[in-house]
Amino acid sequence: MYRSIVLATARSRALPVAILAAMALILWFGLTAIATPFDHDESQYVAGAYFSSRLLIFRDFLYLQPPLHSWTFAPLAWLFPDHMVVAMRLATAVTALGTLATLWAGQRIAGISRDSAAIATLLVGATAAFQFTGAVVRNDMLPTLLSSMALLVSLLALRHCGRRYWFAAGSLFGLAIATKLNFAPLGLMTGLFVISAGGRCGLRAACGLAAGAIAGMTPMLLAWALDPDAFFYGVLTYGATAPHAWYAANGAFDELATIEKLTDLLKYLWKGPALAALLLLSANWIITRRRVRSPGRRLAIWMTAGALIGAAMPTPSQVQYVMPLLPPLALALGYLVDDARRWPFAQRQALLGLLCLAAVPGMLPATRHVVAMLRSGSPVLEADAAARWAGITVRARGRGDDVVTLSPHMILGSGLHLDPRFAPGPFAWRTGWTMGPVLARQVHAMIPATLGDMDRDPPAAILTGYEAGTRKLPLRPDDALVAYARQRGYRMVAMPDGVGRLYVQPPAAVTSRKD
């Protein structure tokens, strides 16, 4: 009787606590979505979704990533044409919330207690990688959600040993790969785990997993069929060559050395509890290596190894590339926190205290952004308003409504028509010498060497100012566009934020176009 009363009380308390926690998370990710300053990588993802709602990817415009993210977010560009960047930011926040909910549910399926699952999920959510990718328009959070769903279904497959579960898990891994390539090692290591497990969930299950992965990667096949040359360049060739060329041109090639990559990776893991969790988990796995581990625990170890490979794959290392690690880390951390319930009180509190302390560096950037927004306004909403101002300004002059820019995310809410050759933002442009004019025209991309092609139909406006170089990478991709505008007599109008420069076509150029 005493135990039943305790459980009833715990459950009666758990529901309002869960509701409050869910409301707090919704509020937090909603705020960070409109508070986080723009990352220039967002340009290609916003433009990719925008053009995918109107054109065929790779056939009509170049995209430098697998296609699934742009196709998933394309309806937002169609539904919210005047506020598409805000809509995509908020959709990313919803994806982050879905990821946390999926990770919690997966741990519960693995037999981890409710409280331990909640602690592990919140700790993973407190990493700088999760906070960043949950607030900006990038293709990192969507594959994390898909991988988390794949992990959940894999745990169901371990419980039921059903081939349909492994096929479903493989499909989800395949969809994650069709969104971001560095999630591939997660699916691969899951397959190796299944093979190593043997028994009823052995080779046949691995075949089901592989078949599902092939089915899940169907979007990649469809995108390849649209234009094989543009697909191979955008998805494979660009990532293997352009970053090295860009860093070398900026005198920063040493930043891409292996030791630099590993140092950066450790730094990004330190920004949040991921590094501390990995160290604690590694120590725990070594100490308990002679014990018989459950299939779920072994799966977490295999997937963590694969995720570390995936995190180290891209060049250069960036904080968002840690994302493949988070789903298996949440599961492994849930097991560890659950095991700690049987530890002496002082040891358990020390573990939780260390992990919570390690979470502070991961939360600091997002907290600073929210505080800055409360003081001086949202950079996203201000950019949204500035884009509408730019659209009104250009149309009011009666000089057309087409625009070119290396910062599509700063102008697409204007209602102006962006030249699809600028869909990759600054990326294909800034290393245009690696592809040359022939390939650039073939894959529908604009580079400095083909800028003269615009003379056949000059744009009404050119937006610059947001690609002006950085301290580490001082080359200014915008300079060629600025020179083009000045040479052809465009008139400069400052954007409301004081950073952007909107060059408007002179009347004589408009007359020549109409003639």
Side-chain angles (χ1 to χ4, degrees):
M1 180 179 293
Y2 176 75
R3 183 172 183 177
S4 65
I5 292 174
V6 171
L7 288 174
T9 304
R11 288 173 182 171
S12 65
R13 292 174 182 171
L15 182 59
V17 170
I19 293 174
L20 288 174
M23 292 175 61
L25 288 170
I26 292 171
L27 177 62
W28 177 256
F29 281 100
L31 287 174
T32 58
I34 60 174
T36 303
F38 281 110
D39 177 74
H40 85 141
D41 281 12
E42 291 183 81
S43 58
Q44 63 170 318
Y45 300 107
V46 173
Y50 167 78
F51 283 117
S52 290
S53 68
R54 293 161 171 79
L55 304 171
L56 290 177
I57 194 170
F58 296 116
R59 196 196 74 174
D60 298 323
F61 68 94
L62 179 62
Y63 192 57
L64 302 178
Q65 301 288 338
L68 191 58
H69 181 270
S70 64
W71 286 344
T72 303
F73 277 58
L76 296 175
W78 180 71
L79 292 171
F80 306 99
D82 298 329
H83 308 281
M84 65 178 73
V85 176
V86 176
M88 292 179 191
R89 281 282 190 107
L90 293 175
T92 304
V94 172
T95 308
L97 292 167
T99 301
L100 293 178
T102 304
L103 290 175
W104 183 85
Q107 292 174 75
R108 295 291 289 135
I109 290 172
I112 297 169
S113 68
R114 182 175 55 229
D115 293 344
S116 298
I119 292 170
T121 301
L122 291 175
L123 286 170
V124 164
T127 57
F130 197 96
Q131 291 292 311
F132 172 67
T133 58
V136 298
V137 184
R138 288 189 53 89
N139 68 338
D140 301 288
M141 188 54 73
L142 180 59
T144 305
L145 171 61
L146 293 167
S147 296
S148 300
M149 296 170 66
L151 173 60
L152 184 152
V153 177
S154 297
L155 292 168
L156 286 173
L158 289 173
R159 174 184 293 181
H160 301 290
C161 290
R163 292 182 63 185
R164 66 183 184 275
Y165 287 106
W166 288 117
F167 182 86
S171 299
L172 290 165
F173 279 125
L175 290 171
I177 297 167
T179 310
K180 188 91 172 179
L181 291 182
N182 71 321
F183 281 77
L186 274 180
L188 176 62
M189 294 302 282
T190 302
L192 293 177
F193 157 75
V194 171
I195 293 174
S196 70
R200 290 192 301 159
C201 295
L203 185 59
R204 293 177 61 188
C207 291
L209 189 73
I214 294 172
M217 287 190 286
T218 300
M220 298 263 281
L221 180 62
L222 294 176
W224 169 82
L226 292 173
D227 191 319
D229 291 337
F231 174 86
F232 278 117
Y233 180 82
V235 176
L236 298 175
T237 306
Y238 176 85
T241 59
H244 297 82
W246 179 241
Y247 272 69
N250 280 272
F253 190 76
D254 290 344
E255 298 283 338
L256 305 183
T258 302
I259 187 65
E260 292 291 336
K261 283 186 60 174
L262 294 178
T263 301
D264 287 341
L265 184 59
L266 287 175
K267 178 180 67 177
Y268 298 134
L269 291 172
W270 172 82
K271 292 183 177 180
L275 181 58
L278 281 174
L279 294 175
L280 290 168
L281 287 166
S282 299
N284 184 63
W285 289 335
I286 292 172
I287 293 171
T288 61
R289 63 186 182 278
R290 297 188 183 279
R291 298 179 187 175
V292 177
R293 294 191 177 101
S294 67
R297 292 175 187 265
R298 298 200 306 274
L299 174 62
I301 295 173
W302 280 83
M303 288 185 68
T304 298
L308 289 172
I309 296 172
M313 279 175 56
T315 299
S317 293
Q318 302 287 350
V319 66
Q320 60 268 13
Y321 300 145
V322 175
M323 292 302 287
L325 176 64
L326 300 189
L329 184 64
L331 178 61
L333 198 54
Y335 279 124
L336 179 63
V337 174
D338 217 33
D339 291 342
R341 298 172 71 189
R342 295 182 290 274
W343 294 1
F345 178 80
Q347 293 182 16
R348 174 178 169 80
Q349 294 304 109
L351 171 69
L352 296 179
L354 176 61
L355 291 171
C356 290
L357 184 64
V360 173
M363 295 298 296
L364 281 178
T367 303
R368 285 197 297 264
H369 296 154
V370 172
V371 171
M373 180 188 68
L374 296 176
R375 289 177 176 173
S376 56
S378 163
V380 180
L381 297 180
E382 290 175 358
D384 201 44
R388 291 194 296 275
W389 174 88
I392 293 170
T393 300
V394 173
R395 283 189 291 267
R397 296 180 179 234
R399 298 178 172 113
D401 62 353
D402 47 336
V403 63
V404 301
T405 181
L406 300 181
S407 308
H409 59 299
M410 303 301 293
I411 198 67
L412 282 175
S414 65
L416 300 175
H417 295 103
L418 178 67
D419 188 328
R421 291 173 294 183
F422 287 83
F427 298 102
W429 166 278
R430 70 188 188 184
T431 54
W433 70 87
T434 64
M435 57 193 309
V438 175
L439 179 59
R441 293 185 178 103
Q442 181 181 347
V443 300
H444 316 291
M446 182 67 73
I447 61 174
T450 61
L451 195 54
D453 292 354
M454 292 200 303
D455 289 339
R456 291 195 295 266
D457 189 18
I462 300 172
L463 178 64
T464 67
Y466 301 103
E467 287 295 330
T470 63
R471 180 181 58 82
K472 186 169 68 173
L473 303 171
L475 292 182
R476 300 159 58 95
D478 266 339
D479 282 354
L481 278 181
V482 172
Y484 177 93
R486 289 175 176 172
Q487 290 167 5
R488 286 153 181 81
Y490 280 68
R491 297 176 182 174
M492 192 274 288
V493 180
M495 290 288 285
D497 59 9
V499 177
R501 297 291 182 266
L502 184 67
Y503 289 87
V504 182
Q505 190 186 64
V510 174
T511 301
S512 66
R513 285 181 72 190
K514 290 182 178 178
D515 291 345

